[in-house]
Amino acid sequence: MADKIFRVNMTDLSTSIEDVPADWAGHGGRGLTSNIVAAEVPPTCHPLGPDNKLIFAPGLLSGTTASNSGRISAGAKSPLTGTIKESNSGGTSAQRLAKIGCKALIIEGQPQDDGWYSLLVTPEGVTISKEEELVGKGNFAIVEAVEKRFSDKIGILSIGQAGEMLMTGANISVKDPDSHVRSLGRGGLGAVMGSKKIKFIALDAKDGKVELADADAFRAANKVFTKALIDHPVSQALGTYGSNVLVNIINEAGGLPTKNFSSGQFEGHEQISGETMHDLIVERGGKPTHGCHAGCVIKCSQIYNDLKGNYKTSGMEYESIWAMGADCTVDDLDQIAEMDSIMDDIGIDSIETSVAFGVAMEAKVLDFGDSKEMIRILTEEIAKGTALGRVIGNGAGSVGKTYGVIRVPVVKNQAIPAYDPRAIKGIGITYATSTQGADHTMGYTIATEILGVGGTADPLSKEGMVELSRGLQIATAAIDSTGMCLFIAFAALDDETCLPALIDMLNARFGIELTADDVTNLGMSILKTEHAFNIAAGFTNLDDRLPKFFETEPIAPHNAVWDFTGEEIDTFWDF
Amino acid sequence: MKVNVKLFAFFREGRFIKEDKELPEGTTTGQVVDDLNIDREEVGVLLLNSRHCKFDKILQEGDIYAIFPVIGGG
């Protein structure tokens, strides 16, 4: 069965299944969501109005046995940034959608009434139902109830209270293999789903399977690919310490934004580090090694138990821990785990919201380090939609505007994550030029600047940084289209067998003859499509800039400032 | 001379988190790695006073020297 486009119109509550247009046939994941948004969403539309569309697409290899291929992409015009947006996540949804035979699920329009709805997607099509029971509920209750209604095999995409209340920090949550949630974060796609009045989407693949054009070639390539992933030392460290292994090295390098970006080192770094977290997890009978989707061989996630040895949370990332930790000067992992769990349940972005807390602390709304008050605000203000809750739930830019704070670390209104661009300059180019606001995952120059993977570059020098960021942003756009986890990039940068094996798998899946150049061209074309959407939405090169304070406030210990000129930044788009 | 040596991730196993080491003048960054029985092949990053360096750097009194295995994240 050929993959199809599933379309849902929430204005007239109609659904359809369509053939895949030739222009979209070679796309998956981010490439597909961005091409659909570019083709069908008016760039100047209101992101929460009827003209925006929410698109879900599994990656090109999702649903196959390819290692680490279980990432789902969601796309729309972002209500946080006003730019095009693609977010991707692990969990079980990519594999379910691929096995349903759904190349993309397009949700358009907006109901005329105030009621809420749910969608059930199966190989036969989409069913729209009224939803009452779960309105106002968090993601944990949703997963439990929806599994009871259908089965524990069901895939679930859902929004918590933040998405219902259209907060621009809202995530779409994705059920993982343990019935916990992962997040389609950054950019407020949960608010777009809330604006369509959809509380959850259930995915039932029944006995659907993904067909391979050449199963033997696919198997052989996957073997080579998997070995490259497993053998790479970064994969091994990720499995042991998680991405949180970065706290100590970024702190040591002087690039750990601390106390709302006023210093580059955090006194409490050791208490929130990956090493400490690993030891705590082992001591309490949790799991330091855990995959966010079936088929992952890196397993950077973890099961974090509380003091009594009961499950607290999983999948805590470095950037979330940094944001709640160093940026808000909280040095207690249990408090951080508690907040991580609450944010998963409310369905709100743990980077955006925590950076928003840092700005609120600077405005003296609460004290730096006051994690108890953060927890109270999350549960009593954000989850309940009070005025303060909405100010913080709408992100760092919203808090800055409300309280007149100048030091607001955002680009295109999206919070800057866990690497200070004054001390690690290449990542600043990524923040400035990314088509989706500040986002380290768009072009992870840290690999080269700090970690020595894929070469080396002096993080305090501007030399070669535009080219470094460009190359990585192009490669990332391509990887984000395959359904692959971005952490395959460490092996891909260092092991020459990795990328050819990935391309061989794509060819064996579809019976095509892609080359490495085709993959690079795919990445370039995705970036250009996204950039063109933003320009048509009213963005100019002057939006590709970091906040002024990075140029005027030197950061310790290097006393470095952001010193790229606008002209230098603008050369990013010379390709 | 006194140098503050810090270890990270699995380099800590059976060694230490951080220690002030009394080292002879002229000791290089690589010698410290060798003295700790750390395989140079396993070293990912060396940071001397928060700046990247290689195995040939001569240490100075009061230096802060951090040794990391190959790690990553993001």
Side-chain angles (χ1 to χ4, degrees):
Chain A
M1 186 184 73
D3 291 338
K4 302 281 185 184
I5 303 290
F6 288 40
R7 194 180 290 270
V8 177
N9 185 313
M10 293 305 293
T11 304
D12 60 14
L13 303 179
S14 65
T15 69
S16 61
I17 296 183
E18 302 162 8
D19 288 334
V20 178
D23 281 357
W24 297 348
H27 285 293
R30 173 175 167 188
L32 188 54
T33 63
S34 285
N35 269 281
I36 295 175
V37 172
E40 297 197 357
V41 175
T44 53
C45 75
H46 195 294
L48 302 178
D51 291 337
N52 199 5
K53 301 192 183 192
L54 178 62
I55 295 119
F56 295 97
L60 289 164
L61 293 171
S62 299
T64 71
T65 54
S67 295
N68 290 56
S69 62
R71 304 287 293 188
I72 185 170
S73 289
K77 175 171 172 168
S78 160
L80 181 74
T81 63
T83 65
I84 199 166
K85 174 68 201 168
E86 182 267 354
S87 179
N88 63 75
S89 169
T92 62
S93 288
Q95 290 155 342
R96 293 291 182 282
L97 267 186
K99 288 177 182 176
I100 284 167
C102 176
K103 193 169 173 69
L105 172 64
I106 303 175
I107 301 168
E108 56 196 33
Q110 198 158 50
Q112 307 295 306
D113 61 1
D114 285 337
W116 283 89
Y117 295 86
S118 71
L119 306 182
L120 171 65
V121 186
T122 72
E124 286 78 46
V126 183
T127 312
I128 307 173
S129 302
K130 281 259 182 200
E131 179 59 43
E132 287 174 2
E133 180 197 341
L134 296 172
V135 178
K137 296 281 197 300
N139 288 306
F140 302 161
I142 297 170
V143 169
E144 197 183 336
V146 175
E147 283 192 343
K148 252 184 218 153
R149 258 187 239 179
F150 298 96
S151 84
D152 57 5
K153 299 226 167 26
I154 201 99
I156 305 171
L157 296 157
S158 59
I159 56 170
Q161 296 90 338
E164 276 189 43
M165 292 186 280
L166 310 181
M167 293 181 192
T168 54
N171 294 334
I172 296 171
S173 302
V174 187
K175 194 187 98 171
D176 80 2
D178 298 329
S179 302
H180 298 131
V181 300
R182 315 292 302 188
S183 304
L184 289 157
R186 317 276 13 229
L189 292 183
V192 179
M193 188 155 148
S195 77
K196 308 288 181 207
K197 309 293 276 186
I198 295 170
K199 186 65 179 162
F200 72 85
I201 304 168
L203 306 169
D204 185 352
K206 300 191 172 170
D207 51 4
K209 278 193 176 60
V210 169
E211 285 166 23
L212 300 172
D214 185 340
D216 289 339
F218 189 91
R219 213 173 299 125
N222 192 22
K223 203 171 159 188
V224 175
F225 180 72
T226 304
K227 185 174 183 326
L229 294 189
I230 290 174
D231 286 351
H232 198 276
V234 167
S235 305
Q236 293 163 12
L238 277 168
T240 307
Y241 302 102
S243 63
N244 198 32
V245 73
L246 292 180
V247 164
N248 279 336
I249 193 166
I250 303 299
N251 182 72
E252 200 62 33
L256 189 75
T258 299
K259 206 173 183 187
N260 190 33
F261 285 75
S262 60
S263 166
Q265 289 182 320
F266 177 43
E267 215 172 81
H269 65 94
E270 192 62 45
Q271 290 96 299
I272 62 166
S273 69
E275 289 90 339
T276 300
M277 186 164 93
H278 170 269
D279 293 348
L280 272 179
I281 288 171
V282 171
E283 198 180 295
R284 296 173 181 181
K287 286 186 194 163
T289 301
H290 177 252
C292 76
H293 66 273
C296 171
V297 298
I298 296 176
K299 299 189 169 75
C300 71
S301 177
Q302 73 296 114
I303 300 284
Y304 186 96
N305 289 345
D306 64 16
L307 269 168
K308 293 176 186 156
N310 298 317
Y311 174 84
K312 175 50 72 182
T313 193
S314 61
M316 279 205 289
E317 300 288 354
Y318 160 65
E319 287 75 13
S320 306
I321 293 169
W322 155 77
M324 291 178 260
D327 198 47
C328 295
T329 68
V330 171
D331 61 4
D332 182 327
L333 270 176
D334 284 323
Q335 295 284 89
I336 289 171
E338 177 69 28
M339 290 189 267
D340 186 73
S341 170
I342 296 167
M343 286 194 262
D344 276 351
D345 197 25
I346 299 172
I348 199 158
D349 191 78
S350 53
I351 299 176
E352 189 67 45
T353 311
S354 308
V355 174
F357 270 118
V359 177
M361 287 169 176
E362 174 133 355
K364 300 193 178 356
V365 176
L366 69 168
D367 291 333
F368 274 104
D370 190 351
S371 53
K372 279 194 184 129
E373 179 63 4
M374 289 169 78
I375 289 169
R376 191 199 67 78
I377 289 174
L378 283 168
T379 50
E380 298 300 318
E381 311 274 356
I382 297 179
K384 292 181 180 167
T386 66
L388 174 63
R390 286 170 193 261
V391 167
I392 296 178
N394 279 323
S398 156
V399 175
K401 275 197 185 122
T402 305
Y403 292 99
V405 178
I406 292 170
R407 195 188 294 124
V408 183
V410 296
V411 179
K412 300 183 180 75
N413 200 42
Q414 181 161 283
I416 292 178
Y419 314 87
D420 198 289
R422 288 163 289 192
I424 314 175
K425 294 189 191 291
I427 200 68
I429 294 294
T430 295
Y431 297 155
T433 58
S434 142
T435 52
Q436 307 178 22
D439 183 340
H440 62 289
T441 68
M442 299 289 288
Y444 194 63
T445 61
I446 304 302
T448 310
E449 294 184 88
I450 300 292
L451 306 170
V453 176
T456 57
D458 178 358
L460 287 168
S461 161
K462 297 195 288 183
E463 204 187 319
M465 290 306 182
V466 171
E467 294 73 20
L468 178 66
S469 176
R470 185 194 295 133
L472 288 167
Q473 289 200 50
I474 290 167
T476 301
I479 290 173
D480 285 345
S481 299
T482 60
M484 285 293 162
C485 166
L486 198 49
F487 286 171
I488 71 150
F490 293 105
L493 284 166
D494 278 347
D495 184 331
E496 58 191 20
T497 68
C498 184
L499 218 46
L502 176 57
I503 294 168
D504 288 347
M505 282 196 288
L506 287 166
N507 290 336
R509 158 82 167 92
F510 296 101
I512 51 176
E513 289 176 0
L514 284 181
T515 64
D517 282 348
D518 294 329
V519 174
T520 306
N521 289 335
L522 173 70
M524 285 196 214
S525 106
I526 294 167
L527 286 191
K528 287 184 174 178
T529 299
E530 293 173 345
H531 191 224
F533 180 93
N534 292 346
I535 289 170
F539 287 85
T540 73
N541 60 324
L542 299 181
D543 294 298
D544 290 353
R545 302 290 182 263
L546 299 190
K548 205 72 190 167
F549 77 87
F550 286 113
E551 294 172 26
T552 56
E553 295 181 12
I555 192 170
H558 296 299
N559 292 320
V561 291
W562 175 251
D563 52 358
F564 273 96
T565 65
E567 290 73 23
E568 287 168 336
I569 297 171
D570 292 343
T571 63
F572 176 86
W573 287 106
D574 294 346
F575 65 95
Chain B
M1 63 176 175
K2 209 171 258 179
V3 172
N4 185 245
V5 179
K6 301 180 185 180
L7 301 178
F8 297 91
F10 61 85
F11 284 171
R12 291 178 172 181
E13 287 167 20
R15 298 192 185 91
F16 55 88
I17 294 175
K18 59 178 172 182
E19 259 182 34
D20 281 328
K21 294 256 181 208
E22 195 57 49
L23 299 172
E25 294 292 328
T27 303
T28 64
T29 45
Q31 282 166 335
V32 174
V33 170
D34 298 340
D35 289 348
L36 288 165
N37 287 318
I38 291 172
D39 185 344
R40 289 191 185 200
E41 289 285 303
E42 289 193 341
V43 172
V45 174
L46 303 175
L47 288 173
L48 183 58
N49 303 320
S50 296
R51 298 287 282 143
H52 288 75
C53 69
K54 296 188 172 149
F55 294 114
D56 57 358
K57 195 92 179 163
I58 293 171
L59 293 162
Q60 309 290 335
E61 167 75 28
D63 276 348
I64 297 171
Y65 176 36
I67 305 168
F68 297 85
V70 181
I71 55 173

